[in-house]
Amino acid sequence: METFDTSDMSNALNDVSNRKTNMNAEAAAVAREKGWVEPQGYDYSKYNASVPQQKAPESTEATDLPNVEEPEWAANAAKYEWSEEFGDVGPPNPALEKMLFHNEFTNRAGLKFETLREIKVTAESREQPKPVKSFSDAGLHPIMLENIRLCGYRTPTPIQAYSIPAVLTGHDLIAVAQTGSGKTAAFLIPVLSKLMGKAKKLAAPRPNVANGFNPHVDAVRAEPLVLIVAPTRELSTQIFDEARRLCYRSMLRPCVVYGGAPVREQREELQKGCDVLIGTPGRLLDFMDKPHILSLQRVKYTIIDEADELLQSDWETEFTKIMSGGDTNEDADHRYMMFSATFNKECRELARKYLADDHVRIRIGRAGSSHLNVEQQIIYSEENKKKQCLYDLLISMPPSRTLVFVNNKTQADFLDDYLFNMGLPSTSIHSDRTQREREDALRAFRTAKSPILVATGVSARGLDIKNVMHVINFDLPSRNYGGIDEYIHRIGRTARIGNEGLATSFYNHEKDSDIAPDLVKILIECKQNVPEFLEDAKPADGVVTFDDDTDNEGEEQHDESHETTAANIESSAAAEEPANWDAGAAAAW
């Protein structure tokens, strides 16, 4: 049989596809006129190319700063590599320091930072940890203080002011704080600081990677001292980036493992030694099933970020195995911590199964609340006109990083395609995209090459990107998509650490009536305007109450509960107890 020649057909298809475009030229011209950059399509050819792993710069001369390209995978990002020649503290590495701390895309505290410090704080425990008023007074390791300075952190946020002493005094911890309030640093700073002076004694043997690494000869089993679990890949890599900064010049070596990226490269990073392991449940359990690669027997701290998500029933099996350590693990010197912005009663009850009786509970504001730095507006839109409403909204405002949330993956693709063809620089992220596509999309969004990101809930948990000025709920989250808790996490992607932001939501009675009562409560609580079409959803008596804020969960009488604001800490720090605290004032939650 003769070979069937397809070259003519292929050439014809290429010719047609290269000529055809769905771009609306008139709309694209308007987008350029309004200041939006040109949209960029995917370059799929690069996905077949091999990109070398990013290495930590070896030079310590400031004049030899390399022009470092982004790593192919977030897990391969450069970190401070310890050498056996170092003493207790490693020497500075200016090239790496520039990469870690002086990146123009790193988020910084905003002008409304003081607003965070005025939020009511409720701290409950048998032994009340005294909040710290400054990092310098917190009893932190000198290298940690220097890394905090390099990060640009000037004053502890409320969650940091209370979490740092709780961890340093050896307590288990549940901490609930509003989005963008500094929760990641609240657990990394005290935990890493406590270990910095003990790493040589506590850490497992490791190869001297400063002299090179041969996985066939030098590989060791990873035995981390800290385990941090997060529900999404994006949040895990974000925590890893913060850990890289705060571990700088110390012996502590952070690693991250998550699905979708090559197992081999993550395994080799673990085999170089790992003191701080961040991971998503699936990939973490895969490595836990290979005890020659990973053992959790040395873990001193287990931290669950976005804990309410991982306490849901669909995570129960994985969560139980992770919390048990997977293998031999002495609990006597093992501390557990759980952090989130939302934490309902059922999740709090389940959390107590894993925590010591004397654990500390810290709540910044109301559990599940937003903060006043986010301006919220609700726009009524019929379903068939939402795309045009979105385009008109984007064109009517100055170009800025904008997150557009939808409820499903198909909608994300369709909406991204629509915006792209209207000449707007969009990209999208959801769980059906490959991990490389997801990381590329976030990188394009972070660097403003594609300043409009269409996303499903995969990005709603913990994502922290500089200058996200606008969050748009193209689809409001119904009860099936997380309801009001999901809404809080979504709008919390803007107005981070004292910056301001805008959250716009499209609403119509046919699809969104189930969330209307909770949405109106949030608007009233945050002193936002309630539109006329939601007037009927206001509480009949005009009094806003939240069922999950105060539990009456049967806490023992000897638990102490105190309320204050972080702004009051400084004025009352000289007293034995803060003057504004009222013992027993806050109900147990």
Side-chain angles (χ1 to χ4, degrees):
M1 180 178 177
E2 294 184 6
T3 303
F4 183 67
D5 186 3
T6 62
S7 58
D8 289 342
M9 184 183 299
S10 176
N11 292 335
L13 288 172
N14 285 333
D15 185 57
V16 171
S17 61
N18 287 337
R19 290 185 181 184
K20 184 178 179 181
T21 176
N22 292 321
M23 184 78 72
N24 183 320
E26 183 178 347
V30 172
R32 300 295 82 69
E33 181 184 333
K34 295 295 184 178
W36 290 99
V37 299
E38 290 274 355
Q40 296 187 2
Y42 276 114
D43 178 12
Y44 287 100
S45 62
K46 72 177 182 179
Y47 294 158
N48 297 320
S50 177
V51 180
Q53 176 175 322
Q54 183 187 15
K55 301 292 185 182
E58 296 180 358
S59 170
T60 59
E61 296 296 328
T63 56
D64 293 334
L65 299 180
N67 182 19
V68 181
E69 297 292 328
E70 288 282 355
E72 179 186 6
W73 300 105
N76 296 344
K79 58 180 74 70
Y80 193 87
E81 297 291 6
W82 189 261
S83 171
E84 292 177 354
E85 300 172 358
F86 300 162
D88 293 330
V89 175
N93 183 330
L96 180 61
E97 192 171 303
K98 179 182 179 182
M99 185 192 305
L100 293 176
F101 299 103
H102 304 297
N103 189 318
E104 63 178 305
F105 304 115
T106 302
N107 225 341
R108 305 294 183 192
L111 297 176
K112 292 292 188 75
F113 181 83
E114 284 302 314
T115 304
L116 298 177
R117 293 170 51 75
E118 295 169 2
I119 301 170
K120 184 182 73 173
V121 179
T122 304
E124 302 163 324
S125 68
R126 297 181 182 180
E127 300 176 9
Q128 185 70 52
K130 187 175 180 179
V132 298
K133 65 176 182 177
S134 69
F135 291 117
S136 59
D137 293 337
L140 300 173
H141 192 280
I143 284 298
M144 178 56 69
L145 287 174
E146 176 62 14
N147 290 343
I148 289 171
R149 184 192 67 79
L150 288 170
C151 285
Y153 302 155
R154 300 186 300 273
T155 308
T157 65
I159 190 64
Q160 294 163 5
Y162 284 79
S163 295
I164 289 173
V167 175
L168 293 179
T169 53
H171 289 84
D172 286 1
L173 179 64
I174 294 180
V176 183
Q178 295 162 331
T179 56
S181 58
K183 291 188 291 294
T184 302
F187 58 75
L188 283 178
I189 287 173
V191 166
L192 299 180
S193 179
K194 283 201 75 171
L195 293 174
M196 279 180 173
K198 306 175 183 177
K200 286 187 177 180
K201 177 181 178 182
L202 297 176
R206 69 175 68 174
N208 188 6
V209 296
N211 296 330
F213 178 76
N214 182 341
H216 301 292
V217 178
D218 301 322
V220 298
R221 181 171 72 169
E223 299 180 31
L225 301 172
V226 182
L227 176 65
I228 303 170
V229 187
T232 69
R233 301 170 185 178
E234 287 70 29
L235 180 54
S236 293
T237 56
Q238 184 174 288
I239 296 170
F240 172 61
D241 286 340
E242 185 74 354
R244 290 192 299 134
R245 287 187 280 269
L246 293 174
C247 288
Y248 176 62
R249 294 182 63 196
S250 78
M251 186 179 177
L252 299 174
R253 189 174 193 275
C255 294
V256 62
V257 297
Y258 54 90
V263 172
R264 178 184 60 81
E265 296 182 22
Q266 294 182 7
R267 182 184 68 239
E268 285 191 5
E269 283 298 312
L270 292 177
Q271 290 173 333
K272 293 176 183 177
C274 173
D275 302 300
V276 181
L277 178 59
I278 304 110
T280 54
R283 183 57 60 89
L284 185 59
L285 289 171
D286 287 345
F287 280 121
M288 287 172 62
D289 288 337
K290 301 175 177 64
H292 64 289
I293 297 175
L294 174 66
S295 169
L296 302 184
Q297 65 182 6
R298 290 179 186 259
V299 171
K300 302 294 182 184
Y301 297 94
T302 296
I303 302 162
I304 311 297
D305 201 9
E306 304 298 346
D308 60 321
E309 175 74 12
L310 289 173
L311 286 167
Q312 300 294 333
S313 58
D314 50 346
W315 291 102
E316 184 175 357
T317 303
E318 294 90 343
F319 187 82
T320 301
K321 185 172 181 180
I322 290 170
M323 293 297 280
S324 68
D327 52 17
T328 305
N329 194 334
E330 293 294 334
D331 282 340
D333 59 349
H334 192 153
R335 301 271 66 89
Y336 295 89
M337 300 168 220
M338 300 187 186
F339 286 74
S340 189
T342 54
F343 223 126
N344 63 35
K345 295 178 186 178
E346 292 76 13
C347 289
R348 296 198 292 269
E349 289 172 358
L350 183 58
R352 289 192 182 89
K353 292 170 52 179
Y354 302 99
L355 304 179
D357 291 339
D358 64 346
H359 70 273
V360 175
R361 301 177 300 283
I362 300 168
R363 187 175 73 241
I364 311 299
R366 181 185 62 79
S369 65
S370 183
H371 56 73
L372 302 181
N373 290 348
V374 182
E375 180 185 344
Q376 301 172 57
Q377 63 178 12
I378 315 297
I379 297 175
Y380 196 90
S381 174
E382 297 296 345
E383 191 66 22
N384 62 346
K385 296 180 179 178
K386 281 166 66 172
K387 286 184 179 179
Q388 186 63 46
C389 285
L390 176 62
Y391 173 79
D392 292 343
L393 178 63
L394 291 170
I395 288 295
S396 69
M397 303 187 70
S400 63
R401 285 184 185 83
T402 303
L403 254 174
V404 183
F405 281 108
V406 296
N407 283 348
N408 60 70
K409 296 171 282 191
T410 302
Q411 180 75 288
D413 286 335
F414 282 153
L415 196 58
D416 178 21
D417 192 53
Y418 167 78
L419 293 175
F420 185 89
N421 288 328
M422 293 297 280
L424 289 167
S426 65
T427 186
S428 64
I429 181 171
H430 56 74
S431 58
D432 275 356
R433 291 232 181 253
T434 67
Q435 184 58 28
R436 189 177 295 179
E437 288 174 331
R438 287 164 68 163
E439 293 188 18
D440 281 350
L442 278 180
R443 194 171 296 129
F445 183 57
R446 184 176 284 111
T447 59
K449 292 179 180 177
S450 297
I452 300 172
L453 178 64
V454 183
T456 56
V458 71
S459 295
R461 290 278 176 167
L463 202 62
D464 184 22
I465 292 178
K466 184 178 182 180
N467 289 340
V468 175
M469 304 304 296
H470 197 182
V471 169
I472 300 174
N473 283 306
F474 184 83
D475 296 324
L476 274 168
S478 65
R479 292 185 186 276
N480 293 334
Y481 290 96
I484 200 64
D485 282 354
E486 176 74 6
Y487 174 81
I488 293 297
H489 282 282
R490 287 183 180 185
I491 69 172
R493 298 316 97 208
T494 187
R496 311 285 295 178
I497 53 174
N499 292 283
E500 295 180 281
L502 173 65
T504 302
S505 301
F506 294 154
Y507 175 93
N508 71 69
H509 291 307
E510 184 177 343
K511 285 190 63 178
D512 305 314
S513 57
D514 65 335
I515 199 177
D518 290 333
L519 182 60
V520 168
K521 286 182 180 180
I522 293 294
L523 293 174
I524 295 174
E525 180 186 35
C526 296
K527 300 178 174 60
Q528 304 291 311
N529 178 58
V530 179
E532 290 186 9
F533 55 82
L534 287 176
E535 286 287 334
D536 292 343
K538 284 185 175 181
D541 57 2
V543 178
V544 176
T545 58
F546 294 92
D547 295 335
D548 67 343
D549 190 30
T550 300
D551 294 342
N552 297 320
E553 292 172 9
E555 296 295 323
E556 296 183 17
Q557 294 299 315
H558 55 245
D559 272 18
E560 294 184 8
S561 175
H562 299 285
E563 290 185 355
T564 187
T565 66
N568 289 331
I569 296 173
E570 293 185 8
S571 61
S572 56
E576 186 172 289
E577 289 290 343
N580 285 4
W581 283 12
D582 178 14
W589 63 278

